[in-house]
Amino acid sequence: MPHRPGETPASPAGERPGLEGLSGGGTLVTSGYHRQMRSYICGSLAGLFLLAPWVSAQNLPNLGESAPRRYGVEAPPAPATNLPDLGESSQAALSAADEREIGESIMRDIRSDPEYIDDPEIAGYVQALGQRLATASPVSRRHFEFFVIRNPQVNAFALPGGYIGIHSGLILTAQTESELASVVAHEIAHVEQRHMARMVDKQNQLQIASIAGLALAILAASSNPQVAQAAVITSQAAPLQAALSYSRDFEREADRVGFQILNDSGFDVHGMPTFFERMQRSTRLYENNAPGYLRTHPLTSDRIADMQNRALESRFRQVRDSVEFGLVRAKLRAEAGPPEDALAFFREALKDRRFTDEAIVHYGYAAALVRAKEPDSAAAEIGAARRAGLRNPMLETLAARAKAASGDQAGAIAILTAARKQYPANLGVAYDYADALLSAGRAQESLDVLVPLVRQEPHDPKLREMQARAYSQLGKRTEQHRALAEMYLLKGGLPAAIEQLRLAQKAGDADFYTLSAVDARLRELQRQYQSELRRRR
């Protein structure tokens, strides 16, 4: 939660297939800077949403067990898709630098939303999955950032500048990792084909008020379809209808390019038509209540048929799900809904033998028990997961959290110290180790871990918050306020960031060079703030 300027942030509370039939929950709300331009861009996002946002994981039919794994000869890369000529208009309408600036502005707001998942294990998994896909893109030429929103709706979306959001409901609904990868590949294709810039060029005659209305509808649809429908009704429907008709070509193009990315990155291409078809069956239940702007570009049968034909023409490939896919799904399920529901889910799965990997069910049950404040029972489930053969850094961080929850902070640090040696490059272990050291009052040791982490992950507000806590413990007020300033900035709180830097100037414990750096950063943020004010007028 945000803190008042000058206030010290409080310490926070504490190759296997995965589970079947998981679901999660949450909402997404965004607001903030670049309002006029961002409303224009967000309106264009309507054509880039893959799945109807009111279809939620818990409303889907029982998905049952994963499809049987198919074994066969691995396929060679498919011939390159004939990519369209993007032309000069997409370059002129919105430059790559403009896209990145607008996307980062939106991301600052999203990072401050309580439903944004800053868990380094979940974030690290989707980033690794996304980068694997982006690297296989035939025209990859940009930096991508992938993130997760805690939301039960089965959806993913592309923002300007290479930012791709994934709803937790999508991860929980995908029955295989290849199905999840197929949706992410589709969104990467939207970005790589510069659909956002081309949409802006196509819509350059539309009134900003119309686009802003559609933007409101898209953002509201994540939690309230009725609000979304009202927003569309109050906007100007005719130009929006034309824009959405244009976006259907983008959807087909993203299907084709996404299929190529999926194939070239080594996933099972059958995951794309299989997932699309299941979504189409589920969407039919809600079609009559769907807002009009979404009914203009549904999951059509010809899109699915095209993907099925492409899959049939590809050589057969069996792809095992990664252990991280199963663990991330189990963790999301353990954190979804009331704690007693999560406990009941995993307890019944173990009792009925309803799983494809017993170790992952024990992991999920342990995570739910830690959340329910039953650390001793959680430790027993962690032991069961180990006996079932699970060896993964996510199990070690969970074991450390169970130790800490039982009051054994030294035991938690011992587990994480050993995990750091075994998994030196794992971010989840590093984050938890730094946090555990802070909780034990070992601030300088924590800073020794945090400083290189901040250099590695400069856009992570959670790291800046931990830095501020460490400097506070050490009595270094100037550095504390500097860290808080960067945290607020990453969360869209530019005025609060400026106030923190002013407090840093007055802290009285910095040398000349540090104060010079504070002054320079303050001037930079003040210029940025004045620029933002001019944009709003």
Side-chain angles (χ1 to χ4, degrees), residues 24-28 58 113 115 149-153 167-168 222-223 336-337:
T27 57
L28 167 63
Q58 60 260 44
D113 191 274
E115 305 307 335
I149 298 295
R150 197 178 305 280
N151 193 311
Q153 294 151 6
H167 284 194
S168 58
S222 67
S223 58

Side-chain angles (χ1 to χ4, degrees), residues 1-305:
M1 294 291 294
H3 310 283
R4 297 185 186 90
E7 188 176 72
T8 303
S11 300
E15 304 187 356
R16 295 175 186 272
L19 298 165
E20 305 302 331
L22 301 173
S23 63
T27 57
L28 167 63
V29 179
T30 61
S31 63
Y33 303 110
H34 288 344
R35 294 184 186 277
Q36 188 177 48
M37 176 59 86
R38 190 172 53 194
S39 294
Y40 190 98
I41 298 300
C42 286
S44 302
L45 287 176
L48 305 187
F49 279 95
L50 172 62
L51 304 172
W54 59 87
V55 179
S56 63
Q58 60 260 44
N59 288 331
L60 292 173
N62 185 2
L63 302 181
E65 294 291 331
S66 294
R69 309 290 196 245
R70 297 183 295 269
Y71 293 88
V73 178
E74 192 166 287
T81 302
N82 291 325
L83 301 179
D85 180 3
L86 302 185
E88 292 301 320
S89 63
S90 65
Q91 301 294 332
L94 194 66
S95 72
D98 290 337
E99 287 187 73
R100 190 72 185 177
E101 182 182 1
I102 294 166
E104 176 55 33
S105 175
I106 298 170
M107 282 304 302
R108 285 199 292 269
D109 293 330
I110 290 177
R111 292 188 193 107
S112 68
D113 191 274
E115 305 307 335
Y116 172 79
I117 296 180
D118 62 359
D119 182 299
E121 292 174 333
I122 296 172
Y125 167 72
V126 298
Q127 186 67 23
L129 174 71
Q131 288 300 333
R132 174 180 170 182
L133 292 161
T135 301
S137 170
V139 291
S140 183
R141 56 179 178 266
R142 66 175 70 233
H143 169 77
F144 281 90
E145 182 176 325
F146 302 86
F147 61 95
V148 182
I149 298 295
R150 197 178 305 280
N151 193 311
Q153 294 151 6
V154 183
N155 211 345
F157 54 93
L159 297 175
Y163 297 96
I164 293 179
I166 301 166
H167 284 194
S168 58
L170 172 61
I171 298 173
L172 292 168
T173 301
Q175 290 186 2
T176 68
E177 194 167 27
S178 291
E179 289 187 354
L180 173 61
S182 72
V183 180
V184 179
H186 179 100
E187 296 305 320
I188 290 173
H190 277 308
V191 174
E192 293 289 27
Q193 296 305 106
R194 301 211 68 209
H195 287 167
M196 180 61 61
R198 294 159 67 189
M199 181 76 78
V200 170
D201 183 63
K202 181 69 176 180
Q203 296 176 356
N204 58 14
Q205 299 302 318
L206 299 184
Q207 294 182 12
I208 293 295
S210 298
I211 304 300
L214 184 55
L216 171 62
I218 292 169
L219 297 174
S222 67
S223 58
N224 193 326
Q226 286 72 36
V227 172
Q229 191 168 13
V232 171
I233 291 171
T234 57
S235 63
Q236 299 178 24
L240 296 178
Q241 182 77 16
L244 290 172
S245 296
Y246 180 68
S247 74
R248 285 196 291 269
D249 292 334
F250 288 167
E251 288 301 307
R252 287 189 290 268
E253 189 172 274
D255 288 344
R256 293 191 296 271
V257 177
F259 184 94
Q260 180 183 343
I261 292 172
L262 190 67
N263 183 69
D264 291 354
S265 56
F267 286 101
D268 178 9
V269 294
H270 292 271
M272 182 173 278
T274 299
F275 192 74
F276 278 24
E277 189 172 22
R278 193 162 69 252
M279 291 303 97
Q280 186 188 50
R281 289 197 303 268
S282 301
T283 304
R284 287 188 188 125
L285 300 174
Y286 307 93
E287 187 173 358
N288 292 334
N289 295 322
Y293 73 93
L294 286 171
R295 286 202 302 268
T296 59
H297 54 292
L299 284 171
T300 59
S301 297
D302 62 332
R303 280 178 64 192
I304 295 173

